[in-house]
Amino acid sequence: MLKVENLSVHYGMIQAVREVSFEVKQGEIVSLIGANGAGKTTILRTISGLVRPSNGTITFEGNEINKTSPQKIVADGLSQVPEGRHVFPGLTVQENLEMGAFLRKDNEQIKADFEGVFEKFPILKERRNQDSATLSGGEQQMLAMGRALMSKPKLLLLDEPSMGLAPIFIREIFKTIQEIQAQGTTVLLIEQNAKMALSIADRGYVLETGQIVLKGTGAELLASEEVKKAYLGG
Ligand SMILES: Nc1ncnc2c1ncn2[C@@H]1O[C@H](COP(=O)(O)OP(=O)(O)OP(=O)(O)O)[C@@H](O)[C@H]1O
Ligand SMILES: [Mg+2]
């Protein structure tokens, strides 16, 4: 579904991503793990069309999207939940969710998808008329995920959804990611929380200073001595 080949990204003179290749097959959860500054967000923003690669190709459902506009990429079925959530303050929960659907015209289906999001995140239904800025961090993460789901993505990109959240919210968020997969959406998950991310992943990749250094199934990576030492506290 998604194929990233020999991707390199520079910020001026700084090379943040070095010849990275990986793929996501339809129906999978693929986790990309790595420490601070490894290049995770850069890869995700490049896939979304917000940052342009200096080299390499990104193919989504057989079409090269290196030069495609971010709007078109969302319309084609690829949405991201950005690092730090970025909900729209001053807009209510409901209005934030509506923003997620702004490229769609299938009004009946949009209504059904609203209900789907409220089913997944009942707290958002309770707070639908509340300013999104007043939500807790965990609730904002749910709203950011709900907003992305309102674009009806085929592939959902998540950038560190567990960041800064209490363990109880983290468990809930990861459970929801599995639900999203079960309902037919493919997921590329970017995380520093290697244990949680690999435990729900079909496959995973380990990123270090802009390069992929290890890959395997989620279970293989969880059992790997290198991953244990570097990411799972021994
Ligand atoms: N806009 C930018 N301008 C210049 N350098 C940048 C910019 N954004 C990121 N970088 C650099 O690129 C490298 C990769 O950053 P990136 O944000 O992709 O890492 P990350 O893996 O997402 O880190 P974190 O876990 O902290 O979110 C870092 O060295 C960072 O300082
Ligand atoms: Mg990041």
Side-chain angles (χ1 to χ4, degrees):
M1 183 175 231
L2 180 76
K3 201 164 203 168
V4 172
E5 290 169 290
N6 291 318
L7 184 73
S8 290
V9 186
H10 287 77
Y11 295 109
M13 299 291 284
I14 300 168
Q15 184 162 10
V17 176
R18 297 169 186 275
E19 293 177 19
V20 160
S21 299
F22 65 93
E23 62 177 342
V24 182
K25 297 180 192 131
Q26 182 153 12
E28 283 187 316
I29 294 177
V30 172
S31 293
L32 193 59
I33 62 166
N36 275 322
K40 302 182 298 298
T41 297
T42 302
I43 291 174
L44 192 143
R45 290 175 60 83
T46 309
I47 295 169
S48 299
L50 300 168
V51 172
R52 293 303 178 187
S54 36
N55 210 349
T57 56
I58 302 168
T59 313
F60 178 58
E61 292 194 313
N63 301 311
E64 220 178 278
I65 56 168
N66 303 17
K67 297 192 176 76
T68 308
S69 74
Q71 290 89 322
K72 172 81 166 52
I73 290 173
V74 172
D76 287 348
L78 209 160
S79 290
Q80 68 156 323
V81 180
E83 184 176 351
R85 356 279 191 214
H86 295 281
V87 301
F88 301 115
L91 296 189
T92 64
V93 166
Q94 170 100 22
E95 288 164 343
N96 266 271
L97 292 174
E98 284 166 5
M99 292 298 278
F102 84 106
L103 290 171
R104 295 174 59 186
K105 295 181 186 72
D106 49 339
N107 289 333
E108 282 309 305
Q109 189 56 44
I110 290 174
K111 260 190 222 152
D113 289 342
F114 255 112
E115 288 314 312
V117 168
F118 286 148
E119 239 165 64
K120 265 188 206 71
F121 304 114
I123 191 81
L124 295 183
K125 187 168 191 174
E126 260 173 58
R127 314 224 150 165
R128 65 204 293 172
N129 296 317
Q130 194 169 317
D131 186 331
S132 62
T134 64
L135 297 180
S136 76
E139 291 162 356
Q140 288 193 17
Q141 183 60 47
M142 293 175 195
L143 179 55
M145 287 170 69
R147 183 181 57 191
L149 290 174
M150 287 305 294
S151 72
K152 210 172 174 51
K154 297 174 192 163
L155 174 60
L156 183 65
L157 311 176
L158 296 160
D159 193 350
E160 298 206 43
S162 77
M163 191 173 53
L165 300 186
I168 183 168
F169 274 122
I170 295 180
R171 279 194 296 276
E172 197 172 331
I173 293 289
F174 279 94
K175 209 176 94 218
T176 307
I177 295 170
Q178 289 180 296
E179 251 174 66
I180 290 169
Q181 177 195 32
Q183 291 172 356
T185 305
T186 307
V187 176
L188 175 60
L189 172 63
I190 284 179
E191 264 295 343
Q192 283 195 53
N193 188 332
K195 192 170 185 183
M196 291 295 278
L198 292 176
S199 64
I200 66 164
D202 295 292
R203 293 183 308 107
Y205 297 85
V206 179
L207 193 68
E208 266 175 32
T209 52
Q211 284 177 297
I212 292 196
V213 294
L214 269 179
K215 63 179 181 175
T217 65
E220 283 166 357
L221 290 176
L222 270 177
S224 128
E225 288 305 322
E226 283 147 292
V227 171
K228 276 190 198 161
K229 246 188 249 146
Y231 299 97
L232 306 175

Coordinates of all heavy atoms in Angstrom, one line a residue, residues 1-2 77 103:
M1 N 0.8 -1.2 0.0 CA 0.0 0.0 0.0 C 0.9 1.3 0.0 O 0.7 2.2 -0.8 CB -0.9 0.0 1.3 CG -1.8 1.1 1.3 SD -2.9 0.9 2.8 CE -4.5 1.1 2.1
L2 N 1.9 1.3 0.9 CA 2.8 2.4 0.9 C 4.2 1.8 0.8 O 4.6 0.9 1.5 CB 2.7 3.1 2.3 CG 3.7 4.3 2.5 CD1 3.2 5.5 1.7 CD2 3.9 4.7 3.9
G77 N -6.6 9.3 0.6 CA -6.8 8.3 1.7 C -5.7 8.2 2.6 O -5.5 7.1 3.3
L103 N -12.8 17.8 3.2 CA -12.6 17.5 1.8 C -13.6 16.6 1.2 O -13.6 16.2 0.0 CB -11.2 16.9 1.5 CG -10.0 17.8 1.7 CD1 -8.7 16.9 1.7 CD2 -9.9 18.8 0.6

